[in-house]
Amino acid sequence: MRELNRRNWLKSTLAISAASALSTKKLNSADTEGNPNDHFGVLVDTTVCIGCRNCEWACKSAHDMPTDGFNEYKDREVFKEFRRPDSGALTVVNEYENKVNPLLPIDVKVQCMHCDHPSCASACIVGAFKKQKNGAVTWDTDKCIGCRYCMVACPFQVPTFDYDKALNPEIRKCDFCYKRTAKGELPACVNICPVEALTYGNKPFLIKEARDRIKRNPDRYNEKIFGEYDAGGTSWMYLASKDFYELGFPKVSTKPAPGTTEAIQHGIFAYFVPPIALYSMLGGLMWYTNRKNSLDEGDK
Ligand code: SF4
Ligand code: SF4
Ligand code: SF4
């Protein structure tokens, strides 16, 4: 497998070199369709979620991915470890201690945030990613060359790489059930949630709904709606009873991340810096941005 991966990396690097020389994609424009207010998204109310993990099962079923039996998802032992979405699970639920009420732990579903200004799309040199009119950030596996710039650029560390398909590279992430949502159907996770912890709607509706809940129950909620402005705004947004940074959320700027990565890419490509160097520089930039955001937050 190591050899395959190494060979695949070489293949990717050669493909990137070719793409960087031939690509006609405008690097200074993220592939974003429409007005963020028209985009649909989901409000995740972590104060309602019971950690049943039905959404994990439904997500895999909707994407024809291997699933354990439905009952296996009742196993709460998985909460002992912090998990991230990966190529075998496009969404996962993590559980956190609730110091106010230890009998009611806090469960947080994690998946792609479907950013209003997706840095995965602006980092992709072959234009494989696209923010669709309905809010979903999707990607085209036929265009993807497996360079993994999107993985480096994402402020939420969401895209993952299916290493089992080393000769046919595949990026995997939540696609907002685009096949369903494009037809007006609910995403599979929203559809199955037994306690309506997930609310589907357009962004203005979701923000109003979130503000109404906070107003009705100020003791229950942290005032912040995560995703209203974070990373320039995201289609998926969250409510919580405590500080989001204690619940695994990253400290991201309110500025859209693509502005910085695009400017650098544009400059680099203008001077034909080799793509491997770009990969390193983007990695360094994301590290610097995350560190700066952490320090900024620490100053508050
Ligand atoms: S969370 Fe990451 S992968 Fe998802 S749209 Fe935003 S930048 Fe792209
Ligand atoms: S929207 Fe679809 S792809 Fe995304 S987490 Fe929910 S079920 Fe999975
Ligand atoms: S299905 Fe709903 S309640 Fe169950 S873990 Fe997922 S979001 Fe939480």
Side-chain angles (χ1 to χ4, degrees):
M1 180 58 76
R2 281 181 76 82
E3 282 306 305
L4 280 178
N5 285 339
R6 220 176 280 136
R7 218 166 39 232
N8 186 55
W9 172 250
L10 179 63
K11 180 185 151 202
S12 300
T13 307
L14 292 172
I16 296 163
S17 300
S20 61
L22 299 173
S23 175
T24 53
K25 180 177 181 257
K26 283 186 185 160
L27 292 168
N28 59 348
S29 66
D31 283 324
T32 301
E33 289 264 7
N35 182 329
N37 284 339
D38 296 333
H39 295 154
F40 277 68
V42 171
L43 178 65
V44 183
D45 191 335
T46 62
T47 73
V48 174
C49 177
I50 54 173
C52 67
R53 300 176 59 217
N54 287 7
C55 49
E56 291 186 25
W57 177 84
C59 179
K60 288 191 186 190
S61 296
H63 291 80
D64 297 323
M65 294 166 74
T67 65
D68 300 319
F70 184 73
N71 284 337
E72 299 296 315
Y73 289 79
K74 294 189 169 48
D75 177 12
R76 299 186 80 89
E77 287 291 301
V78 294
F79 293 138
K80 285 183 177 164
E81 285 183 13
F82 177 78
R83 297 180 301 151
R84 298 285 315 164
D86 59 31
S87 59
L90 310 183
T91 185
V92 295
V93 180
N94 287 312
E95 193 163 88
Y96 298 83
E97 186 187 3
N98 185 346
K99 286 187 183 137
V100 180
N101 188 347
L103 292 177
L104 285 178
I106 301 166
D107 296 291
V108 180
K109 179 184 180 302
V110 185
Q111 71 299 299
C112 172
M113 299 290 286
H114 298 278
C115 304
D116 292 343
H117 308 278
S119 49
C120 51
S122 60
C124 180
I125 59 173
V126 293
F129 275 84
K130 182 168 185 166
K131 176 84 173 169
Q132 303 285 354
K133 276 184 186 152
N134 78 347
V137 175
T138 60
W139 71 106
D140 183 339
T141 45
D142 291 337
K143 285 186 184 170
C144 175
I145 55 173
C147 69
R148 286 163 269 178
Y149 285 1
C150 54
M151 290 170 68
V152 178
C154 173
F156 299 101
Q157 300 175 355
V158 164
T160 61
F161 192 71
D162 188 353
Y163 288 95
D164 288 341
K165 294 190 177 162
L167 293 175
N168 179 23
E170 258 191 29
I171 286 290
R172 308 283 325 246
K173 72 170 194 71
C174 155
D175 62 357
F176 206 176
C177 287
Y178 186 62
K179 281 188 191 157
R180 297 169 62 104
T181 51
K183 288 189 290 187
E185 293 173 14
L186 286 174
C189 54
V190 175
N191 196 42
I192 201 168
C193 181
V195 290
E196 298 186 11
L198 310 174
T199 306
Y200 180 74
N202 67 22
K203 191 157 183 175
F205 165 79
L206 295 178
I207 290 173
K208 182 174 181 313
E209 176 65 25
R211 291 226 173 91
D212 285 350
R213 289 188 196 187
I214 295 169
K215 198 169 167 189
R216 281 198 304 269
N217 280 298
D219 294 339
R220 180 180 180 128
Y221 294 106
N222 167 359
E223 277 186 356
K224 178 178 170 71
I225 307 167
F226 190 95
E228 183 177 11
Y229 301 114
D230 306 84
T234 56
S235 289
W236 281 62
M237 291 173 286
Y238 285 76
L239 286 174
S241 58
K242 64 196 275 190
D243 191 326
F244 285 97
Y245 308 128
E246 294 174 35
L247 297 174
F249 288 78
K251 294 179 179 177
V252 293
S253 163
T254 52
K255 289 187 192 132
T260 328
T261 50
E262 279 171 4
I264 286 199
Q265 279 200 43
H266 209 202
I268 286 170
F269 275 85
Y271 294 100
F272 298 104
V273 173
I276 196 76
L278 171 60
Y279 193 38
S280 308
M281 290 177 74
L282 281 173
L285 170 72
M286 295 313 293
W287 177 87
Y288 171 79
T289 306
N290 288 338
R291 169 125 181 94
K292 185 170 179 304
N293 288 339
S294 301
L295 291 173
D296 287 350
E297 290 296 330
D299 289 344
K300 282 178 189 170

